[in-house]
Amino acid sequence: MDVSIETIERLVHELYHNSNQLSQSSANQYLTCLQVSTQAWDVVSALLNPNKPLEVQYFGASTLYTKVTKCYHELDPQKQLDLKNELIQLLVSYLSLDGMRIVETRIVVSLAAYVIHSVANNWENAITDLVNVLQPNKLSHIPVNRVLQTLMDLLSAIPEEFQTIYMTQHQKIVIRSALLKFNEQIFSIVLTLLSEPQLPEEIKLSTIKCFSNWSQNTGPLIIGDNHSDIVLLVLRSVCDDNLSQTAVEAITNIYSHPEMHKQPNLVLRLIDQMVGLEPTLNKAIQESNPEMANNIYTLFIQVTETHSRLVLNALIDTPESRDNILKAIAVILQCSSTPGYHSIDETCSEQAFNFWYTLQDDIIASDESRIETYLAIFNPLFHSLIDAFLVKVQYPSDDVYENEWNSYDRESFRCYRQDIGDSFMYCYNILRVSMLSSLLSHFQLAANQLTARVSTDQHKSWQYLEAVLHAFSSIAENVGHSETAYLQQLFSSLPNIPFNYVSSPRLLATAMETLAAYAEWISNNSSYLPNVLSLLMIGLKAHEYVVVSATMALKDITRECQLILKPFAQQILSICDQSLGPESHLKPKDKSRIMCSIGLTLSVLPIEDIMIAINKLLTPIITDIHNVLNQCERESSNIDNETVRTHVSSQLSMLAMLFSTLDVNVKRNDSEDESQMVSNSKAYNSSPQPIYIILEQVLPIFNSIGTKWPTDETITESLCECIKKSVITLLDEIKPLVGKILELLLYLFKTSGQTSVLEISKQLIVLFGKDLDLQNDLNKYFVEICNHTMSCCQTDLRQQTSLLEVFYSVLANVVKRVPLLFSSTSLDVSTLFRCAMSALLLPEKPTVRYSSAFISEFVILSREVEAMNKVVNEEIENLLGQVFVVIGGTYDSPRCVVEHMADILMALNWKYFDNLSRSINSLVQKEGFPTNHVNYEKKSHFVRLILTQRKNKRKLKEVINEFSLTCRGLIGNEYSNQMIKLPF
């Protein structure tokens, strides 16, 4: 490597000043290689000549840092000592120069890294020596503040370098012990500087950072003799705009340390002192200083959240701390109540969400003897929090929301509302019934206000009522099904809300979400179902924004209330029929959800009623599809029309949803008592399932659609989804139609090669693979699928990795559950096996995973099938060669796929131990295989370990992983030391 100073200067200039990306990339590659080369030590001094361009000096300083941190071991003891003197001289010389701060900083961290390497052996007084060197009175030619700034930067950097430089656990312990001797000296300097009233802010920032780093970045938490005095000074710095953020970070970092719980008195003392920041906080709010307010809120939240258990205990055990603790929590409540819309007017209120969760979680987890006291203390606080959230969660006017807010603002507010919804649930965990009472009072007030404004034709403010409904829906999951006192009043009042007179769709959409949230409660209170259905009818006819929520609500309610739907079935079907009518403005997904509700509702009706409804329902759909197909016959251009294809796909999706939910084997009891329900389990039914009749009717249509659009991935997936849902619903009852289904699937697969066909194929093969009546058809189908897949993979395997992933996931399942299919003489098992071996070298982890799974299952079964046994015996050495290539990374196989080779080796070890021993030993003899990083001894050791690990897959994976690192030349570095410890 050319390491001449001229070459380096030229390349640095190209890197920073040449606009040609190729030249920049080439220069960057060369310079990066230079930094890790041993020659770099020889050029650093020349590069750091003050007469050189600034970018050259900066590169020299960066190279110096790289060498000290990562290549310190390259120096002999004398050169290490020389390096110390050179670093100190460099630092002092740069202190005399102006405009070189960027270079000086790199020299500072280089010297800090040197301290980490040397403090435990050949420079035991490193910190003291450096403090003595950087004394203003000894460097009188340099401004005092410049010297003090550099000293504090250097002291701050030492703990940071301790955290970042890689070292063994033993080295870490020894170096930490050497550093801890200087703690009191460091803290004494910090206290002295922070006590100086005229100390420049930049030095204060470095001093505060130094205090934080030495307190908690060397491992254990360090509480020095001066700790409390320093914390008080740092706390005062919180009130300074320029120091505030750094001061807060220092305190929160120290007081969030895992060992801080051992210092409860210090934590409580800090909370007492923090309360003194309230005047500063109030002033910041009055003067519209959000940065300062945010910093103070952060301090209160982080400290109290980290020590919430201590705070709770202190409320009872330390009465003298109660007032200040409650004041601190009141500050956090104030944070949650910050006026304005989050992300638009303020950004601090979201900080408190996790605190409220932690607080309620710790209260609930407390001893029973204490919970009652906590509930009495916090009941008013949580009610105040609810009131605050009911304000914060409210939407702005639609005009502002749609026209003034951008998409990012709206999405941020949506997430914020979701977080408030979660917080409502936490509040309910504490307040229980009293929260329902409070929300009902809010609901009645909001509803009355809205109704009054509607009757007087005033501006109709709907946001308050919408916020209350949002709160009700947020806690639905935790409200018991037997609750009646408050929810009955809510559901009795909902129909009285004048939704039709509110222009905004958001109130009605949230009402729909509330109905969906309480679907299970409604199933236990069926008398409210008529009111609910009436509201749903309003929602389905409303704005498209509401329709999404309405169809979701109808779907949830029909699913949860299915066994009590019979008395309301005609009303529901009428609602759905109107929604799907010619005038419908529903989108395809909305229609699919409607179809789900139809299927669930029809399932509880007598078969005669079902068929009448189905004929009425399906006739328009089938007619529509026929019309589209006929139109495509007349005008071939429509086949490629995206609108036509999307329409056909949406119609198929509707059918798929019907197939998945219409199941007459899910019945309610014929008893007059609606509350007595039978199990949801399948029951024998002598009548054919309606889905069978429908599927038999539409299969010819499916064939026509498949013929028209065989290569359209979306349509193919929709067809397969219809078949899949039918199979899940009908199970054995679909058997008479399996032959026709297989013909359609085979045509689709041969035409398009879509993986969705393989997924449904797995279902059918596993379900009917052992059925004697279907054995021939399935066998032929399976052979055709395998042959076509192999023909697709003959040219470029890398282009078929997605297909291979699904194909071998199917085969791994089939070989395990329907091994009979692999006994067929017409199946070319040899080609399947070899293709799976080739797929092991692909870079995609899922493909390698399923190929490995197939091979291992194939090997396990092969002893029972002669053709498979022959393949394994013929290919075992090639297979092992592929496995070694993957493990060694010979052809750039990624590390993430190596673990899957354990499945193959374990299967061979179990079923072909002798063959494995012979074949693997022959591979060991190959020189330079799988890579030059492993010699004969290492390979022999690896083989011995493999042959002994016949049952412990976890241990085998560890062995393979370590050998893989060795093969790739990674053993012995930081990455490998971390990786070989990982349990798989």
Side-chain angles (χ1 to χ4, degrees):
M1 174 176 272
D2 182 4
V3 293
S4 66
I5 301 301
E6 294 76 13
T7 300
I8 296 172
E9 286 190 52
R10 177 177 57 80
L11 291 173
V12 170
H13 184 272
E14 284 189 12
L15 184 65
Y16 284 97
H17 300 289
N18 195 328
S19 58
N20 186 296
Q21 291 187 351
L22 186 61
S23 297
Q24 282 186 329
S25 176
S26 177
N28 182 64
Q29 184 177 3
Y30 176 91
L31 294 172
T32 301
C33 292
L34 170 66
Q35 285 186 323
V36 296
S37 69
T38 55
Q39 297 100 310
W41 290 110
D42 303 325
V43 297
V44 165
S45 297
L47 295 173
L48 285 169
N49 187 322
N51 295 321
K52 299 289 184 185
L54 179 61
E55 59 266 26
V56 173
Q57 294 183 60
Y58 178 73
F59 174 73
S62 297
T63 302
L64 179 61
Y65 176 69
T66 299
K67 301 304 293 183
V68 174
T69 53
K70 298 181 179 180
C71 307
Y72 182 77
H73 60 277
E74 295 175 352
L75 301 176
D76 60 40
Q78 183 56 49
K79 288 185 177 179
Q80 290 174 0
L81 185 60
D82 293 341
L83 177 61
K84 176 184 73 173
N85 297 327
E86 181 182 353
L87 285 168
I88 293 174
Q89 290 172 7
L90 272 172
L91 181 58
V92 172
S93 65
Y94 268 92
L95 284 175
S96 305
L97 302 173
D98 292 326
M100 294 293 181
R101 178 73 171 160
I102 189 173
V103 180
E104 179 192 325
T105 299
R106 303 306 289 170
I107 296 173
V108 164
V109 292
S110 299
L111 184 52
Y114 182 90
V115 170
I116 299 301
H117 285 301
S118 61
V119 70
N121 41 61
N122 56 8
W123 196 15
E124 295 180 356
N125 294 319
I127 305 294
T128 302
D129 291 347
L130 289 172
V131 171
N132 289 333
V133 167
L134 294 172
Q135 287 294 315
N137 57 352
K138 293 183 179 179
L139 300 171
S140 55
H141 61 292
I142 301 171
V144 172
N145 289 341
R146 183 84 181 270
V147 177
L148 291 177
Q149 178 72 55
T150 303
L151 173 62
M152 298 317 298
D153 286 344
L154 176 59
L155 295 180
S156 295
I158 291 171
E160 291 177 347
E161 292 304 311
F162 177 79
Q163 289 289 329
T164 56
I165 292 177
Y166 174 75
M167 60 191 84
T168 65
Q169 189 60 32
H170 174 71
Q171 289 173 325
K172 190 176 282 283
I173 293 171
V174 172
I175 294 171
R176 178 186 295 127
S177 177
L179 289 175
L180 293 183
K181 296 185 301 184
F182 302 102
N183 279 327
E184 290 305 326
Q185 182 182 4
I186 299 294
F187 292 147
S188 178
I189 295 171
V190 167
L191 179 61
T192 300
L193 288 178
L194 290 180
S195 300
E196 287 290 330
Q198 303 302 319
L199 191 69
E201 287 178 346
E202 190 175 33
I203 301 177
K204 274 191 178 181
L205 287 171
S206 294
T207 306
I208 292 170
K209 186 178 178 182
C210 178
F211 169 60
S212 174
N213 287 350
W214 277 92
S215 293
Q216 44 91 37
N217 267 357
T218 54
L221 180 66
I222 312 289
I223 303 296
D225 295 340
N226 298 322
H227 176 85
S228 296
D229 294 332
I230 297 174
V231 167
L232 186 59
L233 292 170
V234 174
L235 205 57
R236 291 174 184 170
S237 299
V238 172
C239 302
D240 187 313
D241 285 328
N242 297 322
L243 303 176
S244 182
Q245 184 174 350
T246 301
V248 168
E249 287 176 357
I251 294 175
T252 55
N253 286 341
I254 294 170
Y255 280 77
S256 297
H257 192 281
E259 294 177 15
M260 197 67 207
H261 73 279
K262 299 176 183 177
Q263 305 288 338
N265 292 333
L266 285 181
V267 175
L268 294 177
R269 185 185 304 166
L270 175 64
I271 293 175
D272 292 340
Q273 294 168 339
M274 282 163 41
V275 170
L277 294 173
E278 277 193 274
T280 304
L281 173 62
N282 295 331
K283 181 181 178 183
I285 295 171
Q286 292 170 4
E287 296 178 353
S288 299
N289 185 350
E291 291 80 11
M292 175 62 74
N294 193 48
N295 289 334
I296 295 176
Y297 282 141
T298 299
L299 178 63
F300 275 86
I301 291 168
Q302 292 290 332
V303 172
T304 49
E305 181 185 325
T306 302
H307 301 283
S308 60
R309 170 55 58 195
L310 169 63
V311 164
L312 287 174
N313 289 336
L315 287 172
I316 296 175
D317 300 335
T318 316
E320 62 272 18
S321 300
R322 175 182 289 199
D323 288 345
N324 282 336
I325 289 173
L326 293 178
K327 285 180 182 179
I329 297 176
V331 168
I332 300 173
L333 175 61
Q334 181 178 329
C335 175
S336 293
S337 310
T338 302
Y341 290 103
H342 179 262
S343 83
I344 306 297
D345 306 311
E346 57 90 9
T347 57
C348 65
S349 62
E350 68 174 354
Q351 289 188 75
F353 286 132
N354 204 53
F355 166 78
W356 298 118
Y357 166 75
T358 304
L359 182 64
Q360 65 87 30
D361 196 44
D362 282 341
I363 290 174
I364 293 171
S366 299
D367 294 338
E368 289 292 334
S369 59
R370 291 175 173 250
I371 289 181
E372 188 174 344
T373 303
Y374 293 147
L375 294 180
I377 293 173
F378 289 110
N379 189 287
L381 181 93
F382 276 98
H383 276 293
S384 298
L385 183 63
I386 292 170
D387 294 341
F389 282 152
L390 286 175
V391 174
K392 295 294 293 181
V393 81
Q394 291 182 26
Y395 280 101
S397 67
D398 282 348
D399 184 57
V400 170
Y401 185 81
E402 297 294 343
N403 300 324
E404 296 184 18
W405 287 13
N406 58 35
S407 58
Y408 175 80
D409 295 332
R410 291 192 288 269
E411 177 61 16
S412 297
F413 189 64
R414 186 195 67 79
C415 295
Y416 181 73
R417 277 173 55 92
Q418 182 60 54
D419 288 334
I420 288 184
D422 294 339
S423 299
F424 278 132
M425 191 163 58
Y426 308 148
C427 292
Y428 181 80
N429 291 339
I430 297 296
L431 300 174
R432 313 303 290 184
V433 174
S434 68
M435 180 171 179
L436 289 175
S437 175
S438 175
L439 286 180
L440 187 63
S441 298
H442 279 290
F443 172 80
Q444 291 168 342
L445 177 60
N448 290 337
Q449 288 179 358
L450 182 63
T451 304
R453 286 172 178 150
V454 167
S455 62
T456 58
D457 203 27
Q458 296 178 16
H459 175 68
K460 296 176 282 294
S461 178
W462 50 269
Q463 287 91 339
Y464 180 21
L465 182 57
E466 191 278 337
V468 178
L469 291 178
H470 178 72
F472 266 114
S473 64
S474 298
I475 66 174
E477 185 179 338
N478 287 9
V479 177
H481 304 151
S482 59
E483 203 294 317
T484 55
Y486 300 102
L487 290 183
Q488 285 186 358
Q489 294 183 62
L490 171 68
F491 279 89
S492 296
S493 303
L494 275 175
N496 300 324
I497 304 297
F499 293 109
N500 290 331
Y501 292 92
V502 178
S503 59
S504 174
R506 305 192 195 286
L507 175 61
L508 186 54
T510 302
M512 297 297 104
E513 292 168 7
T514 305
L515 298 181
Y518 286 96
E520 196 169 349
W521 182 89
I522 295 169
S523 72
N524 289 283
N525 296 269
S526 57
S527 61
Y528 293 93
L529 196 50
N531 286 347
V532 168
L533 294 175
S534 299
L535 286 172
L536 288 171
M537 174 64 84
I538 296 173
L540 290 169
K541 293 179 178 179
H543 187 278
E544 64 178 25
Y545 177 82
V546 181
V547 167
V548 175
S549 300
T551 53
M552 287 181 174
L554 182 60
K555 177 182 174 182
D556 290 344
I557 289 168
T558 49
R559 187 180 300 281
E560 290 295 336
C561 304
Q562 185 181 19
L563 298 178
I564 60 167
L565 286 181
K566 188 173 182 180
F568 314 99
Q570 293 307 320
Q571 184 182 358
I572 295 172
L573 293 174
S574 175
I575 292 173
C576 294
D577 188 44
Q578 292 180 43
S579 300
L580 295 175
E583 304 288 321
S584 172
H585 60 280
L586 269 63
K587 294 182 178 179
K589 287 186 178 180
D590 299 324
K591 291 182 177 180
S592 292
R593 286 191 286 269
I594 290 287
M595 197 63 81
C596 174
S597 299
I598 290 173
L600 292 166
T601 305
L602 289 175
S603 297
V604 302
L605 295 178
I607 189 70
E608 300 80 12
D609 295 344
I610 294 175
M611 294 317 300
I612 293 172
I614 283 296
N615 288 331
K616 181 181 178 182
L617 174 72
L618 286 187
T619 299
I621 296 176
I622 293 174
T623 302
D624 181 72
I625 295 176
H626 273 305
N627 290 337
V628 171
L629 292 171
N630 291 334
Q631 192 176 6
C632 289
E633 287 287 345
R634 293 192 302 270
E635 302 176 33
S636 59
S637 61
N638 282 330
I639 295 177
D640 297 324
N641 188 301
E642 185 175 351
T643 303
V644 172
R645 298 202 311 267
T646 302
H647 179 69
V648 171
S649 179
S650 67
Q651 297 288 63
L652 291 174
S653 297
M654 290 172 64
L655 290 175
M657 190 62 77
L658 180 66
F659 291 164
S660 71
T661 53
L662 177 51
D663 185 358
V664 297
N665 287 326
V666 180
K667 288 289 187 182
R668 75 172 176 84
N669 198 322
D670 290 330
S671 167
E672 292 295 322
D673 184 357
E674 292 289 333
S675 65
Q676 295 180 7
M677 307 300 173
V678 296
S679 162
N680 284 353
S681 62
K682 291 281 184 179
Y684 175 74
N685 193 307
S686 58
S687 302
Q689 283 258 38
I691 292 303
Y692 179 89
I693 300 171
I694 299 169
L695 184 60
E696 190 176 35
Q697 183 181 353
V698 300
L699 262 179
I701 299 176
F702 288 175
N703 283 321
S704 299
I705 292 173
T707 304
K708 284 284 187 296
W709 295 281
T711 58
D712 188 290
E713 184 175 352
T714 304
I715 290 179
T716 300
E717 286 180 356
S718 298
L719 283 171
C720 290
E721 189 69 10
C722 285
I723 297 170
K724 177 182 176 182
K725 299 301 185 184
S726 303
V727 172
I728 292 173
T729 299
L730 296 174
L731 297 178
D732 289 343
E733 296 176 62
I734 204 173
K735 179 178 172 181
L737 300 177
V738 168
K740 294 180 179 179
I741 291 173
L742 291 178
E743 289 178 10
L744 171 60
L745 292 176
L746 188 58
Y747 174 77
L748 290 172
F749 189 66
K750 283 188 171 182
T751 310
S752 64
Q754 299 293 342
T755 56
S756 54
V757 178
L758 293 176
E759 293 287 358
I760 182 60
S761 299
K762 178 172 67 175
Q763 270 188 315
L764 290 167
I765 291 170
V766 171
L767 185 59
F768 296 107
K770 298 177 183 178
D771 190 299
L772 295 177
D773 296 331
L774 294 172
Q775 205 168 81
N776 287 334
D777 288 344
L778 279 172
N779 185 61
K780 290 178 184 177
Y781 175 77
F782 183 63
V783 170
E784 290 281 356
I785 289 289
C786 292
N787 289 342
H788 182 72
T789 304
M790 292 300 97
S791 67
C792 292
C793 299
Q794 283 181 349
T795 51
D796 187 357
L797 216 60
R798 288 182 178 270
Q799 297 300 316
Q800 302 295 337
T801 182
S802 297
L803 175 63
L804 287 171
E805 175 191 334
V806 180
F807 178 69
Y808 279 114
S809 74
V810 172
L811 257 60
N813 207 290
V814 171
V815 74
K816 187 175 183 178
R817 301 180 66 177
V818 196
L820 185 66
L821 290 176
F822 283 82
S823 303
S824 171
T825 55
S826 56
L827 183 66
D828 188 356
V829 292
S830 176
T831 301
L832 294 177
F833 192 79
R834 291 193 186 100
C835 183
M837 287 167 48
S838 299
L840 295 178
L841 298 182
L842 294 172
E844 290 80 9
K845 184 176 181 179
T847 307
V848 177
R849 172 191 171 191
Y850 289 117
S851 301
S852 304
F854 167 71
I855 291 172
S856 59
E857 293 294 344
F858 188 101
V859 169
I860 292 169
L861 177 66
S862 62
R863 284 295 190 187
E864 302 170 18
V865 181
E866 183 179 349
M868 296 172 69
N869 186 26
K870 181 182 177 183
V871 170
V872 176
N873 281 314
E874 289 176 351
E875 298 293 338
I876 187 168
E877 188 166 341
N878 292 331
L879 172 60
L880 286 170
Q882 294 286 74
V883 169
F884 265 67
V885 165
V886 173
I887 293 173
T890 311
Y891 298 127
D892 297 326
S893 291
R895 277 275 302 117
C896 62
V897 305
V898 170
E899 62 178 287
H900 299 301
M901 300 304 103
D903 296 324
I904 299 174
L905 291 174
M906 187 156 281
L908 291 171
N909 215 352
W910 179 22
K911 293 292 185 177
Y912 290 86
F913 180 76
D914 292 339
N915 305 46
L916 173 64
S917 300
R918 287 193 297 272
S919 301
I920 203 168
N921 282 317
S922 68
L923 291 175
V924 171
Q925 307 295 330
K926 290 186 179 181
E927 188 173 348
F929 180 81
T931 71
N932 290 321
H933 291 289
V934 286
N935 55 25
Y936 175 80
E937 288 74 19
K938 290 179 180 178
K939 287 187 285 187
S940 298
H941 178 66
F942 173 59
V943 167
R944 284 195 298 273
L945 291 175
I946 285 178
L947 296 177
T948 56
Q949 294 298 332
R950 305 188 67 176
K951 294 182 179 180
N952 191 333
K953 185 185 286 190
R954 182 191 63 80
K955 183 63 177 175
L956 180 60
K957 285 183 176 181
E958 291 179 359
V959 169
I960 291 172
N961 181 57
E962 185 169 358
F963 184 69
S964 177
L965 291 170
T966 304
C967 290
R968 296 162 190 255
L970 297 174
I971 208 70
N973 65 14
E974 178 180 355
Y975 171 76
S976 68
N977 286 335
Q978 292 172 351
M979 289 302 296
I980 60 177
K981 295 176 184 177
L982 291 178
F984 289 91

